[in-house]
Amino acid sequence: DGGITQSPKYLFRKEGQNVTLSCEQNLNHDAMYWYRQDPGQGLRLIYYSQIVNDFQKGDIAEGYSVSREKKESFPLTVTSAQKNPTAFYLCASNAGNTIYFGEGSWLTVV
Amino acid sequence: AQSVSQHNHHVILSEAASLELGCNYSYGGTVNLFWYVQYPGQHLQLLLKYFSGDPLVKGIKGFEAEFIKSKFSFNLRKPSVQWSDTAEYFCAVNALDNFNKFYFGSGTKLNVKP
């Protein structure tokens, strides 16, 4: 099946630890995104990448890092510097000026 | 900076009632506009989109939206809602001179009572 696969779906992290969320797409899309969804705040852009080996900060990039070594993959690392990391994280990719989303990853910091 | 405002955070309707969800954006240039829907436990799905042409666009499941350029609005409508329309709805904007960034509203939770 074609689509965007995020893993893991649920993740628990201890304070002070980094964690990496995986996002893979087999849609041959150039652009990929990470959003964070919090209740009542909608989706906020963390990072985006228009092509391989290139990425830009979004509106709330502090405490996060990304890489784009392959077209298919755009992993997000939530570092210990992120002050409020518990959230629902959505990966997306762009085709024809329309973005499509993965199923999301729930991160809980305990 | 662009912003997208959804004025209704939570809407409760009975089945067969008509629906209109407001969306306004702040950007003076040319935009693409979208509505996405998130059903309980599911991922975000595209409901409809406007790129150009007829400002009244029709989407899936009987939804439609009207782009009013003078009002910077893209309101979502459905003449008669069903219980299965219970979901959260997000408006999104993509500016054509920054085409790879999409901005989302804060979402509207729709609860349809059977």
Side-chain angles (χ1 to χ4, degrees):
Chain A
D1 277 353
I4 302 168
T5 303
Q6 290 186 239
S7 62
K9 191 166 185 177
Y10 300 96
L11 186 62
F12 294 86
R13 188 196 90 179
K14 291 184 179 180
E15 278 193 26
Q17 289 181 337
N18 293 354
V19 64
T20 297
L21 306 180
S22 168
C23 178
E24 303 278 331
Q25 54 101 356
N26 60 3
L27 302 168
N28 201 32
H29 292 171
D30 285 316
M32 296 186 73
Y33 310 77
W34 275 104
Y35 286 89
R36 170 180 170 142
Q37 186 177 8
D38 295 282
Q41 296 193 56
L43 279 67
R44 293 181 290 166
L45 182 63
I46 304 172
Y47 267 97
Y48 65 108
S49 168
Q50 299 190 29
I51 55 172
V52 175
N53 292 323
D54 180 66
F55 49 83
Q56 289 83 39
K57 293 182 179 180
D59 301 316
I60 56 164
E62 185 175 348
Y64 299 98
S65 65
V66 293
S67 63
R68 188 83 187 280
E69 296 175 3
K70 298 186 300 182
K71 189 175 187 177
E72 303 79 23
S73 178
F74 191 42
L76 173 74
T77 297
V78 185
T79 75
S80 57
Q82 168 49 233
K83 291 182 171 47
N84 187 19
T86 295
F88 186 52
Y89 291 88
L90 285 162
C91 179
S93 66
N94 180 359
N97 290 335
T98 301
I99 60 171
Y100 298 92
F101 289 89
E103 295 194 358
S105 293
W106 287 97
L107 172 62
T108 302
V109 175
V110 296
Chain B
Q2 293 184 66
S3 69
V4 182
S5 299
Q6 292 182 239
H7 314 296
N8 316 101
H9 297 296
H10 197 182
V11 173
I12 302 173
L13 295 172
S14 297
E15 275 196 316
S18 64
L19 170 72
E20 180 159 3
L21 301 182
C23 173
N24 287 90
Y25 63 93
S26 62
Y27 182 72
T30 305
V31 295
N32 293 331
L33 298 158
F34 307 82
W35 277 96
Y36 286 82
V37 59
Q38 189 172 34
Y39 297 103
Q42 296 188 28
H43 64 286
L44 277 155
Q45 303 169 40
L46 180 67
L47 197 55
L48 49 79
K49 61 186 177 183
Y50 172 79
F51 284 179
S52 64
D54 188 343
L56 183 63
V57 292
K58 296 192 183 300
I60 58 172
K61 303 186 181 183
F63 286 91
E64 65 179 31
E66 185 175 13
F67 171 49
I68 303 179
K69 189 174 181 179
S70 61
K71 294 185 177 180
F72 297 89
S73 70
F74 190 55
N75 292 356
L76 181 70
R77 299 195 292 249
K78 186 171 184 179
S80 175
V81 295
Q82 301 173 313
W83 176 78
S84 58
D85 294 325
T86 294
E88 191 161 15
Y89 294 81
F90 294 90
C91 181
V93 171
N94 166 220
L96 291 190
D97 61 3
N98 192 7
F99 68 95
N100 269 336
K101 288 183 77 172
F102 290 76
Y103 293 90
F104 286 80
S106 57
T108 299
K109 286 188 178 176
L110 172 64
N111 197 333
V112 179
K113 299 184 293 183

